[in-house]
Amino acid sequence: MQDFVYQSAPMRVVFGAGTLRQLPDELSRLGVTRALVLATPRQKDLVARIREMIGECFAGVFTGAVMHTPVEVTERAMETVREVRADCLVAIGGGSTTGLGKAIALRTDLPQIVLPTSYAGSEMTPVVGQTSGGIKTTQSSPKILPEVVIYDVDLTMTMPPKLSATSGINAIAHAVEALYARDRNPVISLMAQESIRTLAQALPIICAQPGDRTARTDALYGAWLAGICLGSVGMALHHKLCHTLGGSFNLPHAETHTVILPHALAYNAPAAPDAMTRIAAALGVPDPALGLHDLARKLAAPASLREIGMPESGIDQAADLAVKNPYWNPRGIEREAIRELIARAWRGDAPQTTLATA
């Protein structure tokens, strides 16, 4: 048993089916009266429901959230915050709207309520990633952590199978890296292994039967656990690579995680044998990197960076950025090995475990 420090995040979680109806009570608990709703244009019907539900507490809506939280979008949203005199943020959606709410909270310290519609997990963390000039950087602050997260299984029932698959593997990535994090602890390791197991079992059912409520509930539960992992311990190479690729080439977030995860895991395998044993047990396979690769294929998820929009000419640029200001990682960051990892992911090759050169 290693020495460890465990600190629980101060937030409230409401989980179940139909829990959206508890939004007015949660606003009342926070003592707020002017909520700005953050959403996307396709969620106009849900916004209308919320407007009717919270009545005079509805101060306005901003629907301009996009991937990777560009600073210029946040600045536009800040204008709306000031115009409507918002005293609270209600973010509906996946990582884009959650990220926008967090970026606003970082600047204003407004309380946040998040209603996830995907398996992103970022709603459970005090971290926000923001993009400026094609570079994505992360920042952590107590002001960024949402005060309330309302998980409503009903809000995930219409998530398309393809998005469910990549969003779910994105969540698995948080749990995977928690198992070999520098500041890992027994509590988070238990949650991480359970998250991987639950999601790996639920996602194939969802892709085959999108209306299966039990599988949807299990996946949302697994995503919540993964989000706790993401918010409790540091992430490593996989997340550094995904932030680099997403911010530099504007690649879709969940799809990038899906493609990179097996390769990052294969890179770290020699340096994290205990984590590999846990991940293999959760997946029920002998090789965790190949197991995740096979899971993604089973879900018909993207197999390469090429097919999600990354140019081959960007491989060297991405490798250079990945070794610049690297996150802590169980295996040392070696530029040529990282380049080969990215090249294999670009081509869509199967992951390959390689030993460190020194």
Side-chain angles (χ1 to χ4, degrees):
M1 175 68 69
Q2 67 180 51
D3 294 343
F4 65 89
V5 174
Y6 173 71
Q7 181 171 324
S8 180
M11 65 189 311
R12 178 176 168 83
V13 172
V14 179
F15 186 100
T19 48
L20 173 62
R21 63 178 178 271
Q22 298 186 38
L23 177 59
D25 291 339
E26 296 304 321
L27 290 168
S28 179
R29 285 175 61 90
L30 292 174
V32 296
T33 59
R34 297 193 60 78
L36 173 64
V37 176
L38 307 174
T40 61
R42 67 176 179 270
Q43 293 168 324
K44 62 180 181 179
D45 292 342
L46 182 54
V47 171
R49 282 178 58 196
I50 288 175
R51 182 169 192 163
E52 182 178 0
M53 183 182 298
I54 66 176
E56 293 182 356
C57 282
F58 185 94
V61 60
F62 181 87
T63 60
V66 296
M67 289 190 307
H68 307 305
T69 319
V71 170
E72 58 269 23
V73 173
T74 302
E75 290 171 349
R76 291 201 299 271
M78 285 296 299
E79 295 176 4
T80 303
V81 171
R82 291 188 285 267
E83 287 171 4
V84 305
R85 302 185 314 275
D87 65 0
C88 176
L89 305 167
V90 175
I92 310 164
S96 296
T97 49
T98 300
L100 177 59
K102 292 164 113 181
I104 295 170
L106 177 63
R107 292 159 172 79
T108 63
D109 204 19
L110 288 176
Q112 305 168 74
I113 297 178
V114 182
L115 294 159
T117 61
S118 74
Y119 306 134
S122 59
E123 64 277 357
M124 296 300 298
T125 80
V127 178
V128 64
Q130 302 180 91
T131 303
S132 180
I135 302 296
K136 188 172 184 178
T137 57
T138 59
Q139 186 172 348
S140 180
S141 167
K143 294 191 291 186
I144 296 171
L145 185 71
E147 278 68 18
V148 180
V149 179
I150 300 177
Y151 288 104
D152 189 338
V153 176
D154 292 348
L155 299 183
T156 69
M157 294 299 297
T158 57
M159 189 172 18
K162 185 177 180 180
L163 176 58
S164 299
T166 55
S167 184
I169 295 178
N170 179 20
I172 289 174
H174 309 327
V176 163
E177 292 226 298
L179 285 169
Y180 51 66
R182 176 169 48 180
D183 51 351
R184 64 191 180 278
N185 64 71
V187 175
I188 295 302
S189 293
L190 286 170
M191 291 184 179
Q193 191 167 346
E194 171 70 356
S195 171
I196 296 167
R197 183 194 66 80
T198 305
L199 282 160
Q201 290 182 0
L203 293 175
I205 298 172
I206 290 171
C207 287
Q209 304 174 52
D212 189 305
R213 183 172 291 275
T214 299
R216 289 285 188 183
T217 301
D218 288 347
L220 192 59
Y221 164 69
W224 168 60
L225 292 175
I228 296 174
C229 295
L230 178 66
S232 301
V233 297
M235 297 288 106
L237 173 66
H238 169 79
H239 282 75
K240 173 66 176 184
L241 287 174
C242 291
H243 288 156
T244 296
L245 294 164
S248 300
F249 304 103
N250 197 36
L251 303 183
H253 181 82
E255 288 85 345
T256 303
H257 278 268
T258 299
V259 173
I260 289 293
L261 182 59
H263 299 279
L265 190 59
Y267 182 94
N268 280 330
D274 291 344
M276 298 307 120
T277 298
R278 282 180 173 267
I279 297 164
L283 294 172
V285 299
D287 184 321
L290 285 174
L292 286 170
H293 175 78
D294 292 344
L295 175 63
R297 301 293 76 73
K298 183 177 183 179
L299 302 178
S304 68
L305 295 174
R306 172 171 49 190
E307 68 186 277
I308 62 173
M310 180 179 168
E312 185 175 12
S313 60
I315 293 173
D316 281 297
Q317 177 190 346
D320 290 339
L321 289 171
V323 300
K324 184 179 180 181
N325 301 319
Y327 296 2
W328 179 89
N329 194 63
R331 173 180 170 181
I333 302 302
E334 305 166 18
R335 198 272 181 191
E336 289 310 308
I338 294 296
R339 188 202 181 280
E340 178 57 22
L341 182 164
I342 296 170
R344 293 185 69 83
W346 185 83
R347 294 191 298 265
D349 296 346
Q352 184 174 55
T353 299
T354 57
L355 298 177
T357 57

